[in-house]
Amino acid sequence: MSNRPPAYSLFEGRDRAPMRAFARSIGYTEDDLRRPMVAVVHSWIGTMPCNFTHRELAGHVMRGVRAAGGTPVEVNTIAISDVITMGTEGMKTSLVSREVIADSIELVARGHMFDAIVSIVGCDKTIPAAAMAHARLDIPSVIVYSGSIQPGRFRGTPVTIADVFEAVGAAASGRMSDADLAELESVACPGAGSCGGQYTANTMAMMMEFLGLSPLGSAGPPALSDRRAEVCYDAGKLVLRALSDGLTPSRILTPAAFANAIVVGAATAGSTNLVLHLLAIAREAGVPLSLADFDRISGQVPVITDLKPYGRYTAVDLDAAGGSRLVADRLLRAGLLDGDALTATGRRLGDEAGLAEETPGQVVVTTVTEPLQPTGGLVVLYGNLAPDGCVVKVTGHQAAEHTGPARVFETEEQAMAAVQQGEVVAGDVVVIRYEGPRGGPGMREMLGVTAALVGRDLGASVALVTDGRFSGATRGLMAGHVAPEAAVGGPIAAVRDGDLVTLDVPARTITLHVDDAELTARLAGWKEPAARYPNGVLAKYRALVSSATHGAVTGTMSALGPDGSS
């Protein structure tokens, strides 16, 4: 065997003539088949704005690959829109798609023995899915984000899709007219790109930069910016340099890299979904990571970016202010990041942050000494209602403690109907169960319900507890990822209407005010409900998925252990 890249073995020698003939039929030349084969993966799909530019961006990546001496091979995978499926049965497929996307990238890359890979990512689940696949494959690789949508403008005020969700509740309560809602709907999303605040997509794109899988600063240019083409072209060239240098994800994905990602997630008040996804990526990378790590690190990091939904500004504004390099520079100067962590460029994070350029007069990023909030936005609560933990995103705009009577719902739809009909009142604790990874199945996001509460002016006076999860656009005192979930007999399955529930953020506790004997008796009579999907992909997912505490990953019991731990 000649000293060629691995993919060349598919096309080298007399015995591979049929394979070369097949490749020649679609335009590959003899020279093409002698060069490193680089997968250019994307998830263009006509169902959403998030990934709508992927075909075009793939062309720019492919140009970069060719310019650096490689042969690009375009690969397409799937995507599910969280926004469009929100509040429906379709939303149960969203988290499932993370596993399918990761598996599909891995399968194609292993089958065709690619030498390197560039994955273009956009909507929420495509980002962690690409990271999971890259970690499994451990070949030279780069992840490049397709960029944020521009904010819309409603009567002179910048708006995002989250404002439309909240306006639905406002219109239902009479605080906004249907005509105003229709006007807002028509201007909120002016073009292609992922949701505009520090919601899940932008949070996870920033996670890729601080994990080191994407070049620092590459997530910033908006989806329709001319700079986006340059970012993609550079990524195509960069992956060939990584191939030459032998730079693989296993060299990048260290405990320090995951700590850096959690730091920036806390400092930007990012989506709680980062907990679920980083746990999953860490498992694929073989790096120990637990819920306790998120709570510990978040408690040491202040919020220094004024980004929606926590604050006032969008990802486009952050880019204009100086972007993620500026955020990294601030955190490094305070000693909160490990500047020696390796990145996709082959340089250290500290070196990349040293290239930060702050726009004079910008107001999006503050300093660690003058933070917007003294500690980060991620908190983990434990108690008899969530023995394995639950996740809360804390902002300075919500109550730190809430005690109230439980209003129990078996599905998200039941809860949404009750909110819209005015049946949920100030002081209540809304409990939505059987929406966890196994119970849903699929662990739906609850943005419709949480936004409706805010829209009805109940965001500050009603708490919500669920074994499902939340959108990055969610705000208010909301506890998600409750584990064990109801579908495996967790205590949330035993809650009854009227039971008092306390969420105490400073104490890090969540308490169901029912004595131990009563709780034990209730759970003794519990029976697992029949599966909602007896066959197909959702049934397969239900059979394989682990607890949210371990990232809701799929795998055999021998791989995960009987409790879903890695």
Side-chain angles (χ1 to χ4, degrees), residues 317-403:
D317 298 317
L318 174 61
D319 176 59
S324 56
R325 278 200 174 100
L326 178 58
V327 175
D329 184 63
R330 291 280 203 268
L331 295 170
L332 274 164
R333 289 177 185 274
L336 294 170
L337 290 175
D338 186 337
D340 289 331
L342 197 59
T343 73
T345 64
R347 295 188 292 270
R348 306 293 171 180
L349 181 64
D351 298 329
E352 296 290 351
L355 301 174
E357 295 182 7
E358 181 175 3
T359 301
Q362 67 84 20
V363 292
V364 182
V365 183
T366 184
T367 64
V368 171
T369 55
E370 295 180 336
L372 300 171
Q373 183 173 299
T375 58
L378 298 171
V379 169
V380 179
L381 308 184
Y382 296 92
N384 67 342
L385 186 50
D388 293 341
C390 63
V391 180
V392 176
K393 182 162 79 172
V394 177
T395 70
H397 319 308
Q398 68 194 39
E401 188 272 341
H402 182 102
T403 298

Side-chain angles (χ1 to χ4, degrees), residues 115-116 134-135 137-142 211-213 241-243 245-254 342-344:
D115 302 299
H134 288 204
L137 293 164
D138 201 30
I139 59 177
S141 55
V142 176
L211 280 175
L213 298 177
R241 193 168 83 208
L243 178 62
D245 294 342
L247 180 58
T248 59
S250 60
R251 292 179 57 194
I252 294 172
L253 294 174
T254 63
L342 197 59
T343 73

